[in-house]
Amino acid sequence: MQRAKTEFGPLESRLLAWAQMRGVERTTAGDVARDLRLTLEQARQLMKRLGRKGLAVAIQRGLWLLPAKLPPGGRWVPPPAVILRHLFEARGGGYQETGAGALQYQGLTDQVANVTTVYNTLFTGRRRIGGLEFQFIKVAPERLGGLDEKALPARLVSSLARVVMDGIYDAARFGTLPVAYRWIRERKDLPRFLDELAVCTVAHGDVGTCRRLGAVLELLETAPAARRKLRRAVPTVRTYIPLVPGRGTKGRTMKNWGIIVNDRRWLDE
């Protein structure tokens, strides 16, 4: 069945023509009121009408996105990367995509992400923007980094090394251990990747993640240079932590890393 054509009033047509001629993608009611010579209330109501028709998306209170060109019928749903870019440009914070969406982008899972997970320096919590679900995780600025250069500048998404590192560091949130160790095992003969993984872990992880990754590389008998980088980032070990949290504390101990190898299935299968 053919979708009914969206009808525009004169102010709506004027606003869309203004946005397209000037290349405006993000605006406020104040900007619209000034440039179209409307009252502020007229501009607010105009933006709300466009929002109801699916041709404007409120990314936060008073801040709207407009399509670069009219969609061929139906509602306009900007991609998550576009929403994030404009949101953080407007607010001045840093961010990057992580979680299931980044795993899918890097080919580590075929599962389609229903939620875009975002490390950032501003927000914590779940939000629905433009009909899409976002999970914001507030982190310290030094936790950001390790972006996939192929995706830049259109999308700020974690690199393969960063995604794998987060699979260890943030396993309680993402449910990615011990599968993250399998990802490393599958790439144990790729020294460039392993070196990038070690550098990323030292820069953006913590001591526990350095210890676990160092132990994994040693168990795989690979990447001595990467292991040395990790070793320098680990202070004197005085306590033991499990290789896979939540799997008990029984297993071989690795004194140099302070690790209890409590799960070897990822290694032996």
Side-chain angles (χ1 to χ4, degrees):
M1 184 175 66
Q2 188 174 6
R3 188 185 297 270
K5 183 178 179 181
T6 302
E7 298 292 337
F8 301 115
L11 280 182
E12 295 165 345
S13 299
R14 185 178 163 197
L15 170 59
L16 291 171
W18 164 80
Q20 291 176 37
M21 285 190 297
R22 297 199 178 186
V24 174
E25 296 180 73
R26 183 178 75 236
T27 192
T28 65
D31 293 335
V32 171
R34 181 193 64 233
D35 289 0
L36 272 61
R37 298 182 181 180
L38 305 174
T39 68
L40 186 57
E41 183 59 25
Q42 283 177 319
R44 286 172 176 160
Q45 293 304 318
L46 176 57
M47 295 308 303
K48 288 179 181 179
R49 288 199 300 274
L50 279 181
R52 289 193 293 269
K53 291 182 177 181
L55 288 170
V57 170
I59 58 173
Q60 66 174 40
R61 186 181 180 89
L63 188 63
W64 295 83
L65 295 187
L66 295 167
K69 58 182 179 179
L70 294 181
R75 301 178 69 84
W76 175 59
V77 180
V82 172
I83 291 174
L84 291 172
R85 174 169 60 85
H86 283 288
L87 178 62
F88 285 95
E89 280 181 0
R91 293 297 299 268
Y95 75 96
Q96 69 190 75
E97 292 181 54
T98 184
L103 292 175
Q104 183 188 25
Y105 177 82
Q106 296 298 346
L108 296 174
T109 180
D110 294 328
Q111 184 176 356
V112 176
N114 295 320
V115 179
T116 300
T117 305
V118 188
Y119 285 148
N120 74 101
T121 58
L122 297 179
F123 313 115
T124 290
R126 192 155 176 149
R127 298 188 182 191
R128 187 173 179 84
I129 305 174
L132 303 175
E133 295 290 337
F134 294 85
Q135 179 67 47
F136 293 100
I137 303 167
K138 188 175 180 179
V139 298
E142 58 269 20
R143 281 277 294 132
L144 296 179
L147 297 173
D148 191 303
E149 294 184 358
K150 300 187 301 296
L152 298 173
R155 185 176 182 184
L156 272 62
V157 62
S158 295
S159 67
L160 176 61
R162 177 62 197 259
V163 168
V164 172
M165 187 275 283
D166 285 332
I168 304 172
Y169 177 94
D170 227 349
R173 189 190 308 273
F174 300 141
T176 42
L177 280 183
V179 67
Y181 298 150
R182 297 191 189 106
W183 298 333
I184 298 170
R185 186 196 65 198
E186 291 165 0
R187 295 163 177 81
K188 69 183 183 68
D189 296 323
L190 301 176
R192 184 173 178 179
F193 164 76
L194 297 175
D195 189 70
E196 183 183 352
L197 178 58
V199 169
C200 189
T201 302
V202 171
H204 308 296
D206 60 5
V207 172
T209 308
C210 289
R211 290 166 65 180
R212 288 188 169 103
L213 177 58
V216 166
L217 296 179
E218 185 170 315
L219 289 167
L220 291 171
E221 299 179 350
T222 190
R227 277 185 277 164
R228 286 194 292 271
K229 289 183 174 70
L230 295 163
R231 182 69 256 176
R232 288 194 293 268
V234 175
T236 303
V237 175
R238 302 187 185 279
T239 58
Y240 286 84
I241 59 175
L243 189 62
V244 181
R247 296 287 178 90
T249 56
K250 293 183 179 180
R252 166 193 168 189
T253 58
M254 301 178 73
K255 186 175 180 180
N256 55 335
W257 297 106
I259 290 292
I260 303 169
V261 185
N262 61 337
D263 189 333
R264 289 183 56 94
R265 286 174 296 177
W266 62 272
L267 179 63
D268 298 332
E269 65 187 11

